């Protein structure tokens, strides 16, 4: 998190706001609700109170406008700049302006007013943009769903450094952005995608390019808005140029950025029993054309040519891959080795000699 | 704007409009100043340093050159408040 220069903040805890005008995209009541909910994001974690006034000058004046709208920071038409807000201070200080050339919505159809407003009010209260891609104060818009929104930990730390914590936080579980060099790092899934490696953890994935030392952290939703915010497993079939992502009983096939028509499908359509709840790990072995699926303490082999699970499966992981434990969080293969991730450990398993060659820390995938 | 010369395809990909867009982006969000004539006559290093600042902020590979990834990020919808308070 970051602050504005001189760490600007309000010197009082009771602040007023006024909605000066409305967007035609939404009903007035919908705008009122989105704004109220956006303030609550911040009042839940601080001693700040927000009171709406309907006339006169409020601390935070909220308006919709287009192009040049009176502050010499013009908007730019559809998309691009969505909104801006001024840091705490007199006159325009704290005010939030929304570009009415955008399509505003209460869901994901347009730009979600609640999410954008919550971000802008962060500025109104003294937070600058954060470098944390998981933070609400990250400058790029990502739809994350507005039901059950939880303010990320980075934003909580920032705002509480300015105003302190409130008496009661109704949602104390603030999601933290994963750190790749965390000694206790565990992973959700790994896949290749056109030569890059994608390493999934919570609502994020790291992009690891073979020529780059540093991995880039990206929110799943910012890449694939239609996917769930977390995945259980993923693998690439390079022949088809498809990546498959699994979450619960559903799976998606992707061609680059695009979800292939007809997906999501149910995992039982691959031949798994209907009571199977999730896939833990998946890996495609190019040499054999088979894909291995790991579920609990068992694994299955899927023939990509016949598009059917092979007979004789499931088999116990411990029996066929001794030494890697009895569960798999994530798995990938490279140069004749399979790399199994189980908690904070990574097992390098030789496909040829059928034994574990090395035990590494999970975070060593990032050269930590 | 300094663009990657390592890959000639990169050069072809960026049109004059693309470069103007990138310049506007750096002016809006990274406090890039143009000279009074409105032409980017100041050394390309200034632009490169702003590009480096932006790439570092977003966790991209820091090259100081406009590449596809940096340009893609510039095109994403975002908040109009600059990323650098100064």
């Amino acid at each position: 998190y970051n602050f504005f220069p001189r760490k600007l903040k309000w010197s009082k805890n009771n602040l007023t706001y006024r909605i000066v005008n409305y967007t035609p995209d939404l009903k007035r009541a919908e705008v009122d609700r989105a704004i109220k909910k956006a303030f609550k994001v911040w009042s839940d974690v601080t001693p700040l109170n927000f009171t709406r006034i309907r006339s006169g000058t409020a601390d935070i004046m909220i308006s919709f406008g287009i192009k040049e709208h009176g502050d010499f920071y013009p908007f730019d038409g559809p998309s691009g700049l969505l909104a801006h807000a001024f840091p705490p201070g007199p006159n325009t200080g704290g005010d939030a302006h929304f570009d009415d050339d955008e399509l505003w919505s209460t869901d994901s159809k347009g730009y979600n007013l609640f999410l954008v407003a919550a971000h802008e009010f962060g500025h109104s209260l003294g937070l600058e943009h954060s470098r944390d891609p998981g933070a609400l104060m990250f400058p790029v818009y990502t739809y994350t769903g507005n039901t059950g929104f939880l303010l990320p930990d980075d934003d909580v730390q920032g705002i509480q450094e300015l105003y302190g914590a409130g008496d009661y936080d109704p949602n104390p579980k603030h999601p933290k952005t994963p750190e790749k060099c965390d000694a206790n790092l565990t992973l959700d899934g790994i896949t290749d995608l056109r030569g890059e490696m994608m390493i999934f953890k919570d609502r994020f994935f790291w992009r690891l390019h073979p020529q780059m030392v540093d991995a880039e952290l990206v929110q799943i939703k910012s890449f694939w808005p239609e996917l769930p915010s977390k995945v259980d497993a993923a693998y690439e079939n390079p022949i088809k140029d498809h990546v498959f992502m699994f979450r619960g009983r559903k799976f998606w096939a992707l061609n680059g950025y695009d979800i292939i028509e007809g997906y999501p499908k149910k995992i039982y359509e691959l031949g798994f029993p209907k009571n199977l709840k999730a896939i833990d790990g998946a890996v495609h072995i190019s040499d054999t054309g088979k894909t291995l699926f790991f579920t609990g303490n068992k694994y299955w082999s899927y023939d990509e040519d016949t598009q059917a699970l092979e007979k004789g499966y499931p088999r116990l992981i411990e029996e066929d891959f001794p030494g890697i434990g009895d569960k798999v969080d994530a798995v990938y293969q490279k140069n004749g080795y399979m790399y199994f991730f189980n908690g904070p450990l990574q097992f390098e398993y030789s496909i040829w000699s059928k034994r574990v060659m090395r035990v590494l820390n999970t975070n060593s995938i990032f050269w930590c | 704007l300094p663009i990657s010369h390592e890959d000639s395809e990169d050069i072809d990909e960026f049109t004059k409009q693309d470069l103007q867009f990138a310049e506007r982006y750096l002016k809006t969000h990274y406090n890039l100043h143009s000279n009074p004539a409105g032409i980017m006559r100041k050394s390309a290093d200034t632009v490169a340093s702003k590009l480096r600042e932006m790439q570092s902020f977003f966790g991209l590979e820091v090259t100081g050159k406009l590449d596809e990834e940096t340009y893609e990020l510039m095109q994403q919808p975002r908040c109009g408040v600059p990323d650098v308070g100064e």
Side-chain angles (χ1 to χ4, degrees):
Chain A
Y1 58 87
N2 288 303
F3 303 117
F4 289 101
R6 292 181 285 129
K7 220 171 171 180
L8 295 168
K9 59 172 274 194
W10 296 100
S11 53
K12 55 188 180 182
N13 284 346
N14 294 319
L15 296 167
T16 56
Y17 71 92
R18 181 179 157 200
I19 302 170
V20 178
N21 61 2
Y22 287 82
T23 172
D25 304 337
L26 295 169
K27 292 175 191 157
R28 284 182 167 223
E30 288 175 323
V31 173
D32 293 347
R33 270 199 300 273
I35 298 293
K36 188 176 178 183
K37 195 172 153 194
F39 278 118
K40 190 172 181 301
V41 163
W42 299 107
S43 60
D44 277 352
V45 296
T46 60
L48 295 170
N49 301 306
F50 300 100
T51 307
R52 182 177 177 187
I53 61 169
R54 289 166 195 268
S55 61
T57 306
D59 298 311
I60 298 169
M61 300 286 271
I62 298 158
S63 59
F64 292 84
I66 61 167
K67 302 286 170 67
E68 172 46 47
H69 52 278
D71 62 5
F72 303 106
Y73 294 99
F75 287 131
D76 56 357
S79 215
L81 305 182
L82 307 182
H84 56 219
F86 294 83
N91 305 316
T92 55
D95 293 358
H97 301 159
F98 297 85
D99 185 353
D100 217 356
D101 276 331
E102 313 302 344
L103 175 67
W104 296 104
S105 74
T106 55
D107 50 24
S108 62
K109 285 181 192 131
Y111 293 111
N112 186 284
L113 182 61
F114 157 71
L115 289 173
V116 177
H119 173 102
E120 295 309 327
F121 298 157
H123 292 312
S124 304
L125 299 176
L127 288 180
E128 239 260 49
H129 283 149
S130 170
R131 288 165 186 255
D132 180 342
L136 175 64
M137 295 314 293
F138 192 65
V140 174
Y141 175 85
T142 303
Y143 179 72
T144 52
N146 62 348
T147 48
F149 173 84
L150 292 173
L151 185 64
D153 186 66
D154 180 74
D155 305 292
V156 177
Q157 299 299 322
I159 202 71
Q160 289 188 346
E161 194 172 321
L162 288 177
Y163 298 101
D167 292 336
Y168 170 69
D169 182 351
N171 302 299
K173 284 188 177 173
H174 298 285
K176 283 189 179 168
T177 303
E179 288 180 30
K180 64 180 193 287
C181 285
D182 180 351
N184 295 314
L185 180 72
T186 60
L187 300 178
D188 295 335
I190 299 181
T191 182
D192 284 318
L193 175 59
R194 296 175 177 172
E196 280 185 51
M197 192 178 263
M198 303 207 151
I199 301 157
F200 293 88
K201 172 70 181 174
D202 300 335
R203 61 199 165 103
F204 303 91
F205 65 90
W206 283 281
R207 291 176 74 175
L208 198 51
H209 195 272
Q211 273 111 43
M212 277 169 64
V213 178
D214 218 3
E216 183 194 349
L217 185 66
V218 185
Q219 281 202 56
I220 296 171
K221 285 272 186 194
S222 71
F223 233 65
W224 298 289
E226 292 86 5
L227 282 190
S229 55
K230 188 172 160 56
V231 300
D232 299 327
Y235 79 92
E236 181 186 42
N237 183 332
I239 312 270
K240 291 181 184 167
D241 189 24
H242 287 176
V243 164
F244 295 90
M245 307 261 195
F246 296 81
R247 176 64 176 165
R249 289 190 168 99
K250 289 183 188 167
F251 73 105
W252 290 255
L254 307 163
N255 185 244
Y257 286 95
D258 306 317
I259 295 176
I260 294 167
E261 217 179 304
Y263 289 88
K265 290 182 178 176
K266 299 281 174 62
I267 53 175
Y268 69 74
E269 293 179 60
L270 293 170
F272 290 109
K274 279 201 168 177
N275 62 357
L276 190 72
K277 287 182 181 163
I279 303 287
D280 298 333
V283 61
H284 179 70
I285 313 291
S286 314
D287 293 344
T288 61
K290 308 278 167 69
T291 300
L292 305 183
F293 291 101
F294 296 83
T295 62
N297 62 351
K298 300 186 182 79
Y299 81 102
W300 312 67
S301 177
Y302 181 83
D303 189 323
E304 295 280 354
D305 290 333
T306 60
Q307 300 205 332
L309 287 173
E310 292 196 289
K311 283 183 181 162
Y313 292 88
R315 294 175 58 86
L316 286 173
I317 295 170
E318 273 184 322
E319 274 182 15
D320 292 356
F321 302 100
I324 67 157
D326 65 351
K327 73 172 178 77
V328 168
D329 293 337
V331 53
Y332 73 98
Q333 70 113 26
K334 194 177 178 183
N335 301 332
Y337 294 95
M338 285 163 79
Y339 293 85
F340 291 101
F341 293 79
N342 184 348
L345 293 177
Q346 179 187 165
F347 300 89
E348 185 184 68
Y349 186 90
S350 165
I351 297 171
W352 179 74
S353 62
K354 294 187 174 175
R355 66 190 180 95
V356 172
M357 307 303 284
R358 286 192 297 169
V359 181
L360 306 150
N361 289 322
T362 289
N363 64 13
S364 65
I365 195 171
F366 298 115
W367 312 103
C368 295
Chain B
L1 281 172
I3 49 179
S4 171
H5 290 270
E6 286 159 19
D7 184 352
S8 60
E9 280 180 19
D10 276 356
I11 298 168
D12 296 333
E13 276 173 20
F14 296 109
T15 63
K16 195 178 167 191
Q17 281 96 335
D18 293 338
L19 300 178
Q20 283 171 343
F21 168 81
E23 192 182 305
R24 273 201 310 276
Y25 184 97
L26 294 173
K27 279 182 186 172
T28 308
H29 302 293
Y30 286 86
N31 210 14
L32 174 71
H33 297 292
S34 52
N35 70 12
I39 303 164
M40 297 302 303
R41 218 180 284 152
K42 240 183 166 183
S43 75
D45 284 348
T46 312
V47 182
S49 75
K50 293 296 177 190
L51 271 172
R52 273 195 289 273
E53 212 175 318
M54 181 212 157
Q55 288 163 336
S56 162
F57 185 92
F58 285 104
L60 300 171
E61 192 182 7
V62 179
T63 60
K65 291 169 183 170
L66 188 63
D67 51 40
E68 198 53 50
E69 225 177 5
T70 307
Y71 184 71
E72 260 178 38
L73 211 149
M74 285 176 169
Q75 287 183 307
Q76 289 185 26
R78 56 159 292 157
C79 171
V81 172
D83 298 332
V84 280
E86 294 77 23

